[in-house]
């Protein structure tokens, strides 16, 4: 059976990452969370006290020292992200990283460095990658592109539940504000903005369960694979 690349783009809290993870597992594909890559970059900059508000020569030079990959580790069903060989899945989900990831990801040098690493991962096909510019920039030739949306209140409640389950204390109002700020930055940035590719299929998950989402995209994937 031939392998394809699948791009799942959309807003935070729409269920796109969970859908992409479960879809990859169902297909036997590699799941790559591109958002986790930008979070890992943010963590590196924060750890090394590198100013991320400006695209300085120090920030650009730091990108050469960042290598990101995904591996299956004990206790995790899906691949987890590693930063220079260290597993950082839990650290990159903390509020302090959520607060800076969009300002970090807006820089051209950061996006170009991550796109290069993402394209390396997809050379052999058989990849499900989720993010904001996968279908438009990273894999413009992907055989299947899906763009996921949902009402912001529903997105915020989903994200809040995820954070509380991980022991991260916050509230719904704070999550809504964070999502609004991220939406604006992601949609308005010059390099790799969040937008629907012309040939992407729109999926509104506001009233869908994760199982419904996975099954919908799985059917689309099998159509492409068997074509």
């Amino acid at each position: 059976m031939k392998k394809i690349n699948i791009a799942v783009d959309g807003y935070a809290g729409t269920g796109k990452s969970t859908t992409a993870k479960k879809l990859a597992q169902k297909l036997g594909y590699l799941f790559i969370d591109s958002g986790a890559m930008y979070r890992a970059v943010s963590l590196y900059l924060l750890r090394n006290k590198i100013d991320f508000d400006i695209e300085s020569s120090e920030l650009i030079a730091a990108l050469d020292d960042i290598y990101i990959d995904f591996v299956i580790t004990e206790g995790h069903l899906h691949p987890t992200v590693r930063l220079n060989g260290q597993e950082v899945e839990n650290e990159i989900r903390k509020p302090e990283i959520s607060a800076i990831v969009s300002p970090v990801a807006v820089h051209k040098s950061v996006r170009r460095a991550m796109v290069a690493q993402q394209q390396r991962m997809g050379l052999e096909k058989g990849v499900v990658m989720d993010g904001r510019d996968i279908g438009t920039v990273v894999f413009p030739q992907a055989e299947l592109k899906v763009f996921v949306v949902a009402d912001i209140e529903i997105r915020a409640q989903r994200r809040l539940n995820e954070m509380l389950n991980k022991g991260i204390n916050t509230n719904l109002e704070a999550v809504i504000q964070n999502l609004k700020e991220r939406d604006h930055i992601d949609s308005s940035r010059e390099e790799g903005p969040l937008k629907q590719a012309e040939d992407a299929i729109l999926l509104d998950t506001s009233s869908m369960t994760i199982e419904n989402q996975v099954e919908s995209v799985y059917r689309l994937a099998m159509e492409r694979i068997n074509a």
Side-chain angles (χ1 to χ4, degrees):
M1 185 180 294
K2 74 175 182 181
K3 289 188 175 183
I4 64 173
N5 283 337
I6 301 172
V8 183
D9 288 307
Y11 295 89
T14 56
K16 71 179 187 303
S17 293
T18 303
T19 296
K21 287 178 185 177
K22 290 181 176 293
L23 176 66
Q25 184 182 21
K26 194 167 184 175
L27 292 170
Y29 281 18
L30 174 65
F31 167 68
I32 298 174
D33 179 354
S34 72
M37 298 176 69
Y38 290 101
R39 286 173 173 270
V41 172
S42 302
L43 177 62
Y44 182 91
L45 298 178
L46 199 62
R47 282 178 171 177
N48 290 277
K49 298 180 174 57
I50 297 173
D51 186 359
F52 53 80
D53 289 325
I54 58 173
E55 197 168 16
S56 64
S57 57
E58 183 183 20
L59 184 150
I60 294 171
L63 296 173
D64 291 333
D65 298 324
I66 296 174
Y67 182 84
I68 297 171
D69 63 348
F70 291 82
V71 296
I72 296 289
T73 57
E74 186 176 354
H76 291 86
L77 182 61
H78 303 290
T80 57
V81 64
R82 294 195 308 184
L83 171 61
N84 294 333
Q86 179 190 11
E87 195 269 313
V88 293
E89 186 69 30
N90 290 330
E91 286 187 78
I92 65 171
R93 305 298 175 182
K94 293 180 178 179
E96 55 264 36
I97 300 300
S98 296
I100 69 172
V101 63
S102 287
V104 168
V106 77
H107 297 305
K108 288 184 179 181
S109 59
V110 173
R111 300 205 68 81
R112 290 174 181 175
M114 291 303 98
V115 167
Q117 294 204 33
Q118 291 158 9
Q119 290 175 335
R120 163 180 56 80
M121 297 175 187
L123 286 175
E124 302 300 321
K125 301 280 189 177
V127 162
V128 180
M129 187 178 298
D130 85 301
R132 287 162 174 74
D133 62 350
I134 310 306
T136 54
V137 177
V138 181
F139 294 148
Q141 304 304 320
E143 290 84 353
L144 174 61
K145 303 175 187 177
V146 179
F147 192 82
V148 191
V149 300
D151 294 336
I152 192 164
E153 290 82 5
I154 293 173
R155 293 164 51 203
Q157 188 61 58
R158 290 171 177 171
R159 182 51 54 88
L160 176 63
N161 292 341
E162 290 176 5
M163 297 173 76
L164 293 177
N165 287 336
K166 293 179 179 178
I168 301 172
N169 293 319
T170 185
N171 57 70
L172 187 62
E173 292 73 20
V175 176
I176 289 176
Q177 185 60 33
N178 176 256
L179 288 178
K180 286 181 177 179
E181 291 173 356
R182 290 183 62 187
D183 289 352
H184 174 71
I185 294 173
D186 293 344
S187 300
S188 61
R189 64 175 174 242
E190 181 181 350
E191 189 79 8
L194 168 63
K195 66 178 181 179
Q196 182 178 350
E198 291 184 3
D199 55 345
I201 296 171
L202 184 67
L203 184 69
D204 188 333
T205 67
S206 298
S207 59
M208 297 178 73
T209 65
I210 287 296
E211 290 72 21
N212 292 152
Q213 296 177 43
V214 174
E215 188 57 34
S216 295
V217 183
Y218 178 74
R219 287 198 299 268
L220 294 171
M222 293 308 298
E223 288 175 4
R224 304 302 194 278
I225 290 170
N226 294 322

